[in-house]
Amino acid sequence: MHIQSGFRANRPAQEATGAPDLLSAMQPAAVTFYPEGAVIYAQGDTAGPLYFVEFGCVRICRLSADGRRQITAFHVAGEVFGFEAGAEHESYAESVDGTGIQALRSTCGNQPTGSLLLLAVRSLGRMQNHLMVLGRRNANERMAALLVDLNERQGGGAVVYLPMQRNDIADYLGITFETVSRILRCLKDQRIVRLKAVNEIEILDHEALLDMCA
Amino acid sequence: MHIQSGFRANRPAQEATGAPDLLSAMQPAAVTFYPEGAVIYAQGDTAGPLYFVEFGCVRICRLSADGRRQITAFHVAGEVFGFEAGAEHESYAESVDGTGIQALRSTCGNQPTGSLLLLAVRSLGRMQNHLMVLGRRNANERMAALLVDLNERQGGGAVVYLPMQRNDIADYLGITFETVSRILRCLKDQRIVRLKAVNEIEILDHEALLDMCA
DNA sequence: CGACCTGTTGATTCTGCTCAATCAACGTGG
DNA sequence: CCACGTTGATTGAGCAGAATCAACAGGTCG
């Protein structure tokens, strides 16, 4: 891990909607490249720095004793992750598809904690949304919610790019990867989406998708 | 709402584990009493102050368009809630059982944002735990997780007090209230708990409960 | 080419939901 | 005091949605 090599600029960090003054206040730090599947921090690691996603996608995971995995969040370009209440990371973070990440050192040092608070509270809001999805929506609605969410985060075009594979989607939505497959097939049959590629989904009926996660 | 009358000191605010320096930095504010079911803030209200629970229990809820409800958190004495990313509350907060609440005015004014950040990050951690529960655990395990959580928050005695009713438990755990009933019956038959009263549960086999949510 | 990995699809099982009845506790009004 | 309505909790029967188990297709890489 911590391999520092050839960048692959998927998308530039979107106008830093997450970290406005934060980044400008930092001295320019090195961007580390994490190839697909690389661990950014592990469960039990001592927490400390925050991480800014320059490009690519990161998954935040938690394992239960019997091996079940829940992905609590995906983070894409422009977002910050790594908040931890205690001294150790209770979750672990992995690169989904090859990501460039800037470590923001010294939460302890003097930083604009105001903007940090804003970022944390944003994560909180996203997580509340996700709680609603996991607690009160069926498989169709969960998939629709993810597609809409990714679509918005990617600028709202007609095509949604799925950086993660079926297994990750399943563990994020709290279903199985077989069900993910079936749901996509179902959405395809209803002419709501079109599968351009295995990780590229064209939205044909945006309204229908929104209705599903209303 | 905002009825300011006879306090009922269930339990004193536990050693303010949530808000160490925060409270001491505030000038003593009035404690408002919210009777059972009273709305503390509504969905769409302009956000602003944070709220410190003096005694009692608060539920944070979110409604979907078709009326399904998800309770994203319960907050008991000593905890702080009301964080919001945008200008409006995306959730609403209600008193579960008659609560005393102190409004911490002026997030905008100069407050120790450091300790606010800590509180927000703690909420984040609890929410991640809950995401795991909703995404990857069955009804038994969810109920066990709630019992263990409440038990810890209440000091770890033998008896867990349930301030909320079955409907609330269900909407928190993402199941139905009938299922809650059945699970409790199941736990009772297994001699893991004993129902002293409808809202008072004695834990007979603490180990078993812990195993269930391992 | 074969091994492997990811994704898709089918058949079957089972958990938890829906619908519905019953019960206990409580308050109200005659 | 009792009949009545209400509300929350429990329990049962049947069903549906998603999980599980299993087979197979397509792509990649050694």
PDB file of all heavy atoms in Angstrom, chain A residues 138-139 175-176 179 182, chain D residues 17-22:
ATOM      1  N   ASN A 138     -37.166  -1.183   0.224  1.00  0.00           N
ATOM      2  CA  ASN A 138     -36.901  -2.509  -0.331  1.00  0.00           C
ATOM      3  C   ASN A 138     -35.765  -2.447  -1.352  1.00  0.00           C
ATOM      4  O   ASN A 138     -35.225  -1.382  -1.628  1.00  0.00           O
ATOM      5  CB  ASN A 138     -38.172  -3.090  -0.943  1.00  0.00           C
ATOM      6  CG  ASN A 138     -38.668  -2.275  -2.117  1.00  0.00           C
ATOM      7  OD1 ASN A 138     -37.908  -1.590  -2.775  1.00  0.00           O
ATOM      8  ND2 ASN A 138     -39.953  -2.345  -2.380  1.00  0.00           N
ATOM      9  N   ALA A 139     -35.442  -3.595  -1.869  1.00  0.00           N
ATOM     10  CA  ALA A 139     -34.244  -3.686  -2.716  1.00  0.00           C
ATOM     11  C   ALA A 139     -34.317  -2.758  -3.925  1.00  0.00           C
ATOM     12  O   ALA A 139     -33.341  -2.081  -4.252  1.00  0.00           O
ATOM     13  CB  ALA A 139     -34.035  -5.131  -3.156  1.00  0.00           C
ATOM     14  N   ILE A 175     -27.952  -5.666   0.813  1.00  0.00           N
ATOM     15  CA  ILE A 175     -28.586  -6.784   0.114  1.00  0.00           C
ATOM     16  C   ILE A 175     -27.482  -7.682  -0.442  1.00  0.00           C
ATOM     17  O   ILE A 175     -26.308  -7.460  -0.164  1.00  0.00           O
ATOM     18  CB  ILE A 175     -29.509  -6.275  -1.022  1.00  0.00           C
ATOM     19  CG1 ILE A 175     -28.733  -5.370  -1.971  1.00  0.00           C
ATOM     20  CG2 ILE A 175     -30.697  -5.539  -0.439  1.00  0.00           C
ATOM     21  CD1 ILE A 175     -29.579  -4.758  -3.062  1.00  0.00           C
ATOM     22  N   THR A 176     -27.839  -8.695  -1.232  1.00  0.00           N
ATOM     23  CA  THR A 176     -26.816  -9.557  -1.806  1.00  0.00           C
ATOM     24  C   THR A 176     -26.503  -9.144  -3.239  1.00  0.00           C
ATOM     25  O   THR A 176     -27.306  -8.459  -3.883  1.00  0.00           O
ATOM     26  CB  THR A 176     -27.281 -11.024  -1.838  1.00  0.00           C
ATOM     27  OG1 THR A 176     -28.451 -11.110  -2.648  1.00  0.00           O
ATOM     28  CG2 THR A 176     -27.591 -11.516  -0.441  1.00  0.00           C
ATOM     29  N   THR A 179     -29.068 -10.115  -5.769  1.00  0.00           N
ATOM     30  CA  THR A 179     -30.231  -9.232  -5.812  1.00  0.00           C
ATOM     31  C   THR A 179     -29.929  -7.970  -6.597  1.00  0.00           C
ATOM     32  O   THR A 179     -30.767  -7.495  -7.380  1.00  0.00           O
ATOM     33  CB  THR A 179     -30.674  -8.875  -4.382  1.00  0.00           C
ATOM     34  OG1 THR A 179     -31.015 -10.075  -3.683  1.00  0.00           O
ATOM     35  CG2 THR A 179     -31.883  -7.966  -4.396  1.00  0.00           C
ATOM     36  N   ARG A 182     -30.331  -8.800 -10.161  1.00  0.00           N
ATOM     37  CA  ARG A 182     -31.746  -8.949 -10.529  1.00  0.00           C
ATOM     38  C   ARG A 182     -32.457  -7.608 -10.627  1.00  0.00           C
ATOM     39  O   ARG A 182     -33.237  -7.370 -11.553  1.00  0.00           O
ATOM     40  CB  ARG A 182     -32.447  -9.820  -9.491  1.00  0.00           C
ATOM     41  CG  ARG A 182     -32.230 -11.296  -9.703  1.00  0.00           C
ATOM     42  CD  ARG A 182     -33.027 -12.104  -8.705  1.00  0.00           C
ATOM     43  NE  ARG A 182     -32.163 -12.752  -7.736  1.00  0.00           N
ATOM     44  CZ  ARG A 182     -31.647 -13.970  -7.915  1.00  0.00           C
ATOM     45  NH1 ARG A 182     -31.916 -14.655  -9.014  1.00  0.00           N
ATOM     46  NH2 ARG A 182     -30.862 -14.506  -6.999  1.00  0.00           N
TER      47      ARG A 182
ATOM     48  P    DG D  17     -43.412  -9.038  -3.302  1.00  0.00           P
ATOM     49  OP1  DG D  17     -44.011  -7.759  -3.724  1.00  0.00           O
ATOM     50  OP2  DG D  17     -43.262 -10.162  -4.253  1.00  0.00           O
ATOM     51  O5'  DG D  17     -42.000  -8.723  -2.652  1.00  0.00           O
ATOM     52  C5'  DG D  17     -41.929  -8.157  -1.336  1.00  0.00           C
ATOM     53  C4'  DG D  17     -40.576  -8.465  -0.743  1.00  0.00           C
ATOM     54  O4'  DG D  17     -40.518  -9.856  -0.326  1.00  0.00           O
ATOM     55  C3'  DG D  17     -39.424  -8.263  -1.718  1.00  0.00           C
ATOM     56  O3'  DG D  17     -38.360  -7.661  -1.004  1.00  0.00           O
ATOM     57  C2'  DG D  17     -39.075  -9.689  -2.177  1.00  0.00           C
ATOM     58  C1'  DG D  17     -39.437 -10.507  -0.945  1.00  0.00           C
ATOM     59  N9   DG D  17     -39.892 -11.876  -1.232  1.00  0.00           N
ATOM     60  C8   DG D  17     -40.663 -12.302  -2.290  1.00  0.00           C
ATOM     61  N7   DG D  17     -40.925 -13.585  -2.248  1.00  0.00           N
ATOM     62  C5   DG D  17     -40.288 -14.018  -1.091  1.00  0.00           C
ATOM     63  C6   DG D  17     -40.220 -15.316  -0.522  1.00  0.00           C
ATOM     64  O6   DG D  17     -40.726 -16.373  -0.934  1.00  0.00           O
ATOM     65  N1   DG D  17     -39.481 -15.326   0.651  1.00  0.00           N
ATOM     66  C2   DG D  17     -38.880 -14.222   1.207  1.00  0.00           C
ATOM     67  N2   DG D  17     -38.203 -14.417   2.330  1.00  0.00           N
ATOM     68  N3   DG D  17     -38.940 -13.008   0.688  1.00  0.00           N
ATOM     69  C4   DG D  17     -39.657 -12.980  -0.460  1.00  0.00           C
ATOM     70  P    DA D  18     -37.181  -6.934  -1.779  1.00  0.00           P
ATOM     71  OP1  DA D  18     -37.058  -5.576  -1.224  1.00  0.00           O
ATOM     72  OP2  DA D  18     -37.385  -7.151  -3.237  1.00  0.00           O
ATOM     73  O5'  DA D  18     -35.927  -7.775  -1.323  1.00  0.00           O
ATOM     74  C5'  DA D  18     -35.730  -7.994   0.075  1.00  0.00           C
ATOM     75  C4'  DA D  18     -34.984  -9.285   0.301  1.00  0.00           C
ATOM     76  O4'  DA D  18     -35.795 -10.415  -0.053  1.00  0.00           O
ATOM     77  C3'  DA D  18     -33.676  -9.430  -0.484  1.00  0.00           C
ATOM     78  O3'  DA D  18     -32.629  -9.601   0.451  1.00  0.00           O
ATOM     79  C2'  DA D  18     -33.908 -10.655  -1.366  1.00  0.00           C
ATOM     80  C1'  DA D  18     -34.957 -11.427  -0.550  1.00  0.00           C
ATOM     81  N9   DA D  18     -35.749 -12.348  -1.340  1.00  0.00           N
ATOM     82  C8   DA D  18     -36.402 -12.104  -2.508  1.00  0.00           C
ATOM     83  N7   DA D  18     -37.051 -13.154  -2.982  1.00  0.00           N
ATOM     84  C5   DA D  18     -36.797 -14.148  -2.054  1.00  0.00           C
ATOM     85  C6   DA D  18     -37.209 -15.486  -1.963  1.00  0.00           C
ATOM     86  N6   DA D  18     -37.972 -16.094  -2.870  1.00  0.00           N
ATOM     87  N1   DA D  18     -36.783 -16.193  -0.894  1.00  0.00           N
ATOM     88  C2   DA D  18     -36.011 -15.598   0.019  1.00  0.00           C
ATOM     89  N3   DA D  18     -35.565 -14.348   0.041  1.00  0.00           N
ATOM     90  C4   DA D  18     -35.998 -13.665  -1.033  1.00  0.00           C
ATOM     91  P    DA D  19     -31.147  -9.990   0.050  1.00  0.00           P
ATOM     92  OP1  DA D  19     -30.272  -9.140   0.876  1.00  0.00           O
ATOM     93  OP2  DA D  19     -30.996 -10.038  -1.412  1.00  0.00           O
ATOM     94  O5'  DA D  19     -31.047 -11.474   0.637  1.00  0.00           O
ATOM     95  C5'  DA D  19     -31.367 -11.693   2.000  1.00  0.00           C
ATOM     96  C4'  DA D  19     -31.114 -13.150   2.367  1.00  0.00           C
ATOM     97  O4'  DA D  19     -32.077 -13.988   1.689  1.00  0.00           O
ATOM     98  C3'  DA D  19     -29.738 -13.667   1.975  1.00  0.00           C
ATOM     99  O3'  DA D  19     -29.228 -14.506   3.001  1.00  0.00           O
ATOM    100  C2'  DA D  19     -29.990 -14.444   0.690  1.00  0.00           C
ATOM    101  C1'  DA D  19     -31.429 -14.910   0.843  1.00  0.00           C
ATOM    102  N9   DA D  19     -32.146 -14.908  -0.436  1.00  0.00           N
ATOM    103  C8   DA D  19     -32.289 -13.849  -1.289  1.00  0.00           C
ATOM    104  N7   DA D  19     -32.988 -14.122  -2.368  1.00  0.00           N
ATOM    105  C5   DA D  19     -33.323 -15.457  -2.210  1.00  0.00           C
ATOM    106  C6   DA D  19     -34.064 -16.350  -3.005  1.00  0.00           C
ATOM    107  N6   DA D  19     -34.621 -16.009  -4.178  1.00  0.00           N
ATOM    108  N1   DA D  19     -34.219 -17.609  -2.555  1.00  0.00           N
ATOM    109  C2   DA D  19     -33.672 -17.946  -1.386  1.00  0.00           C
ATOM    110  N3   DA D  19     -32.955 -17.193  -0.543  1.00  0.00           N
ATOM    111  C4   DA D  19     -32.818 -15.951  -1.018  1.00  0.00           C
ATOM    112  P    DT D  20     -27.778 -15.133   2.834  1.00  0.00           P
ATOM    113  OP1  DT D  20     -27.285 -15.279   4.223  1.00  0.00           O
ATOM    114  OP2  DT D  20     -27.022 -14.365   1.818  1.00  0.00           O
ATOM    115  O5'  DT D  20     -28.040 -16.582   2.229  1.00  0.00           O
ATOM    116  C5'  DT D  20     -28.989 -17.440   2.850  1.00  0.00           C
ATOM    117  C4'  DT D  20     -29.096 -18.731   2.053  1.00  0.00           C
ATOM    118  O4'  DT D  20     -29.874 -18.503   0.856  1.00  0.00           O
ATOM    119  C3'  DT D  20     -27.769 -19.323   1.598  1.00  0.00           C
ATOM    120  O3'  DT D  20     -27.745 -20.702   1.951  1.00  0.00           O
ATOM    121  C2'  DT D  20     -27.775 -19.135   0.075  1.00  0.00           C
ATOM    122  C1'  DT D  20     -29.255 -19.133  -0.238  1.00  0.00           C
ATOM    123  N1   DT D  20     -29.676 -18.384  -1.445  1.00  0.00           N
ATOM    124  C2   DT D  20     -30.479 -19.009  -2.370  1.00  0.00           C
ATOM    125  O2   DT D  20     -30.846 -20.156  -2.255  1.00  0.00           O
ATOM    126  N3   DT D  20     -30.836 -18.228  -3.443  1.00  0.00           N
ATOM    127  C4   DT D  20     -30.487 -16.908  -3.674  1.00  0.00           C
ATOM    128  O4   DT D  20     -30.871 -16.309  -4.663  1.00  0.00           O
ATOM    129  C5   DT D  20     -29.645 -16.315  -2.668  1.00  0.00           C
ATOM    130  C7   DT D  20     -29.204 -14.897  -2.823  1.00  0.00           C
ATOM    131  C6   DT D  20     -29.278 -17.066  -1.610  1.00  0.00           C
ATOM    132  P    DC D  21     -26.366 -21.521   1.865  1.00  0.00           P
ATOM    133  OP1  DC D  21     -26.370 -22.435   3.025  1.00  0.00           O
ATOM    134  OP2  DC D  21     -25.244 -20.590   1.641  1.00  0.00           O
ATOM    135  O5'  DC D  21     -26.553 -22.396   0.540  1.00  0.00           O
ATOM    136  C5'  DC D  21     -27.754 -23.126   0.361  1.00  0.00           C
ATOM    137  C4'  DC D  21     -27.848 -23.648  -1.059  1.00  0.00           C
ATOM    138  O4'  DC D  21     -28.310 -22.585  -1.931  1.00  0.00           O
ATOM    139  C3'  DC D  21     -26.526 -24.144  -1.646  1.00  0.00           C
ATOM    140  O3'  DC D  21     -26.749 -25.398  -2.256  1.00  0.00           O
ATOM    141  C2'  DC D  21     -26.163 -23.066  -2.661  1.00  0.00           C
ATOM    142  C1'  DC D  21     -27.545 -22.606  -3.108  1.00  0.00           C
ATOM    143  N1   DC D  21     -27.596 -21.253  -3.719  1.00  0.00           N
ATOM    144  C2   DC D  21     -28.437 -21.044  -4.827  1.00  0.00           C
ATOM    145  O2   DC D  21     -29.105 -21.976  -5.261  1.00  0.00           O
ATOM    146  N3   DC D  21     -28.483 -19.812  -5.384  1.00  0.00           N
ATOM    147  C4   DC D  21     -27.745 -18.814  -4.880  1.00  0.00           C
ATOM    148  N4   DC D  21     -27.839 -17.631  -5.456  1.00  0.00           N
ATOM    149  C5   DC D  21     -26.884 -19.016  -3.759  1.00  0.00           C
ATOM    150  C6   DC D  21     -26.839 -20.248  -3.212  1.00  0.00           C
ATOM    151  P    DA D  22     -25.510 -26.231  -2.892  1.00  0.00           P
ATOM    152  OP1  DA D  22     -25.794 -27.649  -2.612  1.00  0.00           O
ATOM    153  OP2  DA D  22     -24.258 -25.618  -2.430  1.00  0.00           O
ATOM    154  O5'  DA D  22     -25.667 -25.980  -4.458  1.00  0.00           O
ATOM    155  C5'  DA D  22     -26.948 -26.061  -5.047  1.00  0.00           C
ATOM    156  C4'  DA D  22     -26.881 -25.641  -6.497  1.00  0.00           C
ATOM    157  O4'  DA D  22     -27.050 -24.196  -6.598  1.00  0.00           O
ATOM    158  C3'  DA D  22     -25.561 -25.957  -7.204  1.00  0.00           C
ATOM    159  O3'  DA D  22     -25.821 -26.583  -8.437  1.00  0.00           O
ATOM    160  C2'  DA D  22     -24.930 -24.589  -7.397  1.00  0.00           C
ATOM    161  C1'  DA D  22     -26.170 -23.727  -7.578  1.00  0.00           C
ATOM    162  N9   DA D  22     -25.957 -22.308  -7.385  1.00  0.00           N
ATOM    163  C8   DA D  22     -25.255 -21.696  -6.389  1.00  0.00           C
ATOM    164  N7   DA D  22     -25.220 -20.388  -6.489  1.00  0.00           N
ATOM    165  C5   DA D  22     -25.955 -20.123  -7.629  1.00  0.00           C
ATOM    166  C6   DA D  22     -26.295 -18.932  -8.278  1.00  0.00           C
ATOM    167  N6   DA D  22     -25.928 -17.734  -7.851  1.00  0.00           N
ATOM    168  N1   DA D  22     -27.040 -19.021  -9.404  1.00  0.00           N
ATOM    169  C2   DA D  22     -27.418 -20.234  -9.835  1.00  0.00           C
ATOM    170  N3   DA D  22     -27.158 -21.419  -9.304  1.00  0.00           N
ATOM    171  C4   DA D  22     -26.423 -21.297  -8.193  1.00  0.00           C
TER     172       DA D  22
END
